[in-house]
Amino acid sequence: MIYSKIAGTGRYLPERIMTNADLEKIVDTSDEWIRTRTGVERRHVATEDQLTSDLCVEAAKNAIEDAGITAEDIDLIVVGTTSPDLIFPNIATIIQEKLGIHGCPAFSIEAACTGFIYALTTTDKFIRAGETKCALVIGAEIITKLIDWTDRTTCVLFGDGAGAVIVKPADEPGIISTHLGADGKYKELLYYPVGVSKDLYKAGVGDSRIIMSGNEVFKVAVKTLGNVATIALEANGIDKDDLDWLIPHQANLRIIQATAKRLGLPMEKVIVTVQDHGNTSAASVPMALDVAVRDGRIKRGQLILMEAFGGGFTWGSVLMRF
Ligand code: COA
């Protein structure tokens, strides 16, 4: 039996930081409101010239170094993102070129904030099928380029970043289980109204904005993230107390706390990074993983549940022994 295992992690955040105080100068908001409602203290914002693939390449280099491999070892690239450089070619091929490697399959997956969980799950199947020996999996986003900086209900929430992992085959798990889901009936609660086949030719830069029903998204997010975690634990006959760490999507501290409460999990077992970079969509889970691995909280052999939730809605989990 072949399993897959994370061999290395990495992340990259754009240098430019925007604090809540900076936002107070742009929209009618306050540091106190943002902190109490979301837990966010600052977010990193890409410059006009920075591309999502640039963030991905830096995160990938960190993960490659951490795994002790070279870029030439990579035989699959899968990227979860909703903010690719171009409509085509897909961003994974652009990253492949920037890493100086050629020939291996490279594709992207669009599942909003669940993008990394979808990408890692897909990669797990490639590895288990014996087709892949060394995969680069990335969750990345420059979501701030979709932000309307005059809309205080959304602009305070989001930030940019990239997280990457190297995944290799192993004789034992590694990844124990993956569960993905989606329900398109929730589209109207969280979406971006312009796309390739819808109004792209009409839209000027900055003409559009993220449409979100914050209250409704909040409720469904808490319920879904709780359910997703329970499904993963029950499917494997694992008690929540056996978990060493929960790495939830970093959308909002209150959503994370409510999810932990629903699960009966103490916050000491939950990795929280939302204060430092806001909601980075597909980048949030792999970046939180990398933070906790590098600061020594997550150790080899520990049992970790990663889970995410995003526009669509989409959702998913990966249970693994690190
Ligand atoms: N600064 C100050 N006031 C703000 C504000 C801001 N940035 N944004 C909204 N407000 C105001 C509202 O206008 C409203 O004022 P009113 O009572 O006079 O009408 C008040 O704050 C409360 O708004 P409400 O939307 O009820 O706040 P909330 O407690 O639900 O928090 C969110 C708003 C967006 C933080 C919260 O709903 C949330 O996090 N939702 C989930 C969003 C999310 O995670 N999306 C991504 C999912 S992957």
Side-chain angles (χ1 to χ4, degrees):
M1 189 83 175
I2 308 171
Y3 298 96
S4 49
K5 200 170 179 72
I6 290 183
T9 67
R11 73 178 187 283
Y12 182 76
L13 288 153
E15 300 73 21
R16 186 157 57 129
I17 293 175
M18 196 181 255
T19 63
N20 293 347
D22 294 328
L23 280 169
E24 284 177 355
K25 295 175 199 145
I26 302 175
V27 285
D28 180 15
T29 191
S30 67
D31 176 50
E32 205 257 331
W33 191 96
I34 303 172
R35 275 177 200 254
T36 51
R37 303 288 176 127
T38 73
V40 180
E41 295 170 19
R42 65 193 73 82
R43 70 285 296 143
H44 291 245
V45 178
T47 60
E48 213 167 293
D49 296 340
Q50 241 166 351
L51 302 178
T52 305
S53 64
D54 295 329
L55 313 190
C56 291
V57 167
E58 295 309 316
K61 284 180 182 167
N62 285 339
I64 287 167
E65 190 187 357
D66 186 45
I69 61 154
T70 64
E72 289 69 33
D73 295 324
I74 294 166
D75 59 2
L76 173 70
I77 304 176
V78 188
V79 183
T81 188
T82 309
S83 44
D85 295 9
L86 301 170
I87 290 164
F88 71 88
N90 84 69
I91 190 171
T93 64
I94 297 171
I95 295 161
Q96 186 192 46
E97 163 65 9
K98 286 184 177 175
L99 287 174
I101 53 177
H102 304 276
C104 72
F107 60 91
S108 59
I109 290 180
E110 188 191 334
C113 301
T114 320
F116 174 75
I117 297 290
Y118 267 65
L120 185 57
T121 297
T122 305
T123 301
D124 181 51
K125 313 289 182 213
F126 272 79
I127 299 236
R128 281 170 182 261
E131 219 170 291
T132 297
K133 298 282 176 277
C134 185
L136 169 63
V137 186
I138 303 174
E141 221 78 71
I142 294 190
I143 199 123
T144 59
K145 289 189 187 176
L146 297 178
I147 291 289
D148 173 357
W149 292 103
T150 66
D151 178 7
R152 69 175 184 175
T153 65
T154 53
C155 77
V156 303
L157 302 177
F158 296 97
D160 304 328
V165 295
I166 299 295
V167 188
K168 295 178 85 171
D171 294 334
E172 51 189 52
I175 292 180
I176 297 166
S177 75
T178 58
H179 289 87
L180 299 182
D183 193 338
K185 80 177 177 206
Y186 292 108
K187 181 213 143 196
E188 300 297 323
L189 296 186
L190 179 57
Y191 68 105
Y192 192 80
V194 171
V196 181
S197 63
K198 183 158 187 326
D199 295 344
L200 184 63
Y201 69 98
K202 288 192 213 157
V205 174
D207 274 356
S208 220
R209 65 191 180 92
I210 293 174
I211 313 288
M212 186 178 76
S213 305
N215 279 308
E216 294 306 310
V217 174
F218 190 99
K219 282 181 236 157
V220 187
V222 171
K223 194 170 149 219
T224 307
L225 286 168
N227 289 347
V228 165
T230 305
I231 288 167
L233 294 176
E234 283 181 3
N236 294 286
I238 288 172
D239 190 87
K240 64 173 172 40
D241 295 334
D242 298 331
L243 275 184
D244 290 299
W245 297 104
L246 174 70
I247 307 181
H249 172 45
Q250 308 286 317
N252 176 319
L253 180 59
R254 286 191 300 144
I255 294 178
I256 295 171
Q257 286 168 334
T259 305
K261 194 172 168 199
R262 225 178 128 93
L263 284 172
L265 210 63
M267 282 303 288
E268 291 70 39
K269 284 192 167 188
V270 183
I271 305 295
V272 180
T273 55
V274 69
Q275 69 282 355
D276 292 328
H277 48 62
N279 182 349
T280 57
S281 184
S284 90
V285 168
M287 288 207 299
L289 171 68
D290 185 61
V291 165
V293 168
R294 286 178 192 257
D295 71 19
R297 274 179 291 170
I298 291 184
K299 297 180 180 58
R300 284 285 167 197
Q302 288 188 326
L303 190 61
I304 293 157
L305 181 62
M306 302 188 283
E307 61 166 354
F309 168 86
F313 291 131
T314 57
W315 57 83
S317 72
V318 173
L319 181 73
M320 66 174 185
R321 247 185 219 288
F322 184 65

